């Protein structure tokens, strides 16, 4: 069984979500062979040297899960793209490139966080290009932890204000970009998060039936996609 989650936005301000994730590991995920985390696992990540106690607890829970024989894969999102090898090793996670292709039930499948599909949001795409630059990340990483935390809070506040002024469709994926990316990667299934709009969308790619599955965020409900015994099920539960 394979499980896929994204957009938990774990933070000290929402201990209920962190506890829901710990319960998820011990119950739903206990029978899974592999757990894929497709970005925005943390609400903000300013560096692997962040000693926030809640984050250490998450690392310990993940490491325990991995030590029990489960595989853990992590893909960066737009909130936690600074997460590095140090934390990944402590948590027992393997870092994935965005995008990554795997096979599910003999179906070629593309995994993405999803933010790169929102090409209509030109302001965000420009911002994404800037912060994903290695030189920018090195510069930020060299600053004191407190300064990085203040910067992350400022960026989060600015993003929230800007998003409130944008049309809903601009912040969703661009349909043409979805088809292009799936065609370029020769897949018939795409799984992503980011938009907080959980749903299953039938598509046509290269004149063949295809599907895009959007994972939900963990706010009032927790969402996960389960691939088991040839079936795909998008499920939710109360947080």
């Amino acid at each position: 069984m394979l499980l896929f989650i994204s957009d938990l936005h774990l933070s000290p301000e929402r201990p209920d979500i962190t506890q829901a994730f710990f319960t998820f590991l011990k119950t739903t995920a206990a029978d899974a062979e592999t757990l894929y985390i497709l970005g925005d696992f943390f609400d903000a990540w300013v560096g692997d040297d962040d000693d926030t106690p809640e984050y250490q607890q998450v690392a310990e829970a993940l490491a325990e899960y991995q030590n029990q024989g489960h595989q853990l894969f992590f893909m960066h999102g737009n909130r936690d793209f600074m997460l590095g090898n140090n934390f990944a090793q402590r948590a027992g996670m393997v870092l994935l490139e965005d995008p990554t292709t795997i096979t599910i039930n003999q179906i070629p499948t593309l995994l993405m966080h999803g933010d790169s599909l929102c090409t209509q949001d030109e302001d965000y795409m420009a911002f994404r290009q800037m912060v994903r630059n290695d030189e920018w990340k090195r510069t930020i990483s060299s600053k004191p932890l407190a300064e990085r935390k203040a910067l992350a809070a400022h960026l989060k506040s600015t993003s929230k204000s800007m998003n409130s002024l944008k049309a809903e469709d601009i912040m969703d994926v661009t349909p043409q970009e979805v088809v292009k990316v799936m065609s370029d990667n020769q897949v018939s299934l795409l799984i992503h998060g980011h938009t907080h709009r959980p749903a299953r969308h039938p598509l046509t790619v290269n004149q063949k039936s295809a599907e895009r599955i959007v994972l939900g965020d963990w706010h009032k409900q927790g969402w996960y996609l389960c691939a088991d015994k040839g079936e795909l099920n998008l499920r939710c539960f109360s947080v």
Side-chain angles (χ1 to χ4, degrees):
M1 179 168 69
L2 310 179
L3 295 177
F4 303 84
I5 59 175
S6 73
D7 300 278
L8 279 70
H9 294 273
L10 299 179
S11 73
E13 290 72 34
R14 286 295 305 270
D16 54 328
I17 298 178
T18 302
Q19 289 303 317
F21 176 64
F22 291 161
T23 300
F24 175 79
L25 288 180
K26 294 176 180 178
T27 56
T28 303
D31 296 326
E33 298 170 13
T34 307
L35 174 63
Y36 290 90
I37 303 172
L38 302 185
D40 284 6
F41 183 53
F42 294 101
D43 195 46
W45 193 262
V46 297
D48 290 3
D49 58 337
D50 191 338
D51 55 1
T52 301
E54 289 83 357
Y55 297 162
Q56 307 313 311
Q57 293 169 8
V58 171
E60 292 167 4
L62 289 169
E64 180 182 354
Y65 182 74
Q66 192 266 343
N67 287 335
Q68 292 169 350
H70 308 278
Q71 286 187 301
L72 270 172
F73 292 97
F74 178 90
M75 180 178 289
H76 295 107
N78 55 294
R79 296 291 187 91
D80 47 24
F81 60 87
M82 294 283 285
L83 190 146
N85 289 320
N86 186 288
F87 184 86
Q89 289 171 3
R90 277 189 282 141
M93 303 188 302
V94 176
L95 298 180
L96 293 178
E97 293 291 329
D98 182 1
T100 288
T101 301
I102 64 171
T103 300
I104 302 176
N105 303 331
Q106 299 182 324
I107 299 172
T109 303
L110 194 65
L111 306 180
M112 305 180 72
H113 174 57
D115 58 329
S116 63
L117 298 169
C118 302
T119 58
Q120 295 179 88
D121 190 345
E122 295 179 359
D123 291 336
Y124 171 72
M125 295 303 289
F127 172 78
R128 185 182 191 276
Q129 184 176 8
M130 178 187 74
V131 300
R132 295 300 182 96
N133 179 274
D134 289 340
E135 182 62 31
W136 187 91
K137 289 193 284 187
R138 280 193 294 270
T139 300
I140 296 300
S141 296
S142 67
K143 296 181 182 297
L145 180 60
E147 188 174 337
R148 279 177 273 144
K149 286 185 175 182
L151 176 61
H154 172 71
L155 290 175
K156 182 179 175 182
S157 176
T158 301
S159 173
K160 189 173 182 179
S161 298
M162 291 180 64
N163 287 345
S164 67
L165 303 174
K166 295 176 182 177
E168 283 292 309
D169 62 325
I170 288 179
M171 292 187 291
D172 202 354
V173 300
T174 304
Q176 297 91 331
E177 183 67 13
V178 168
V179 173
K180 178 183 183 301
V181 167
M182 293 182 71
S183 177
D184 288 347
N185 287 275
Q186 298 182 321
V187 299
S188 53
L189 177 62
L190 168 62
I191 300 171
H192 72 83
H194 180 66
T195 64
H196 299 187
R197 302 178 186 191
R200 300 183 67 165
H201 302 275
L203 303 167
T204 300
V205 178
N206 294 332
Q207 300 180 328
K208 295 180 180 178
S209 296
E211 185 176 24
R212 175 171 69 96
I213 302 179
V214 188
L215 304 170
D217 63 309
W218 290 35
H219 183 60
K220 294 181 179 180
Q221 291 180 309
W223 288 87
Y224 65 95
L225 176 67
C226 177
D228 189 32
K229 298 176 181 177
E231 295 185 354
L232 288 169
N233 291 292
L234 185 60
R235 297 170 175 161
C236 66
F237 58 93
S238 178
V239 169

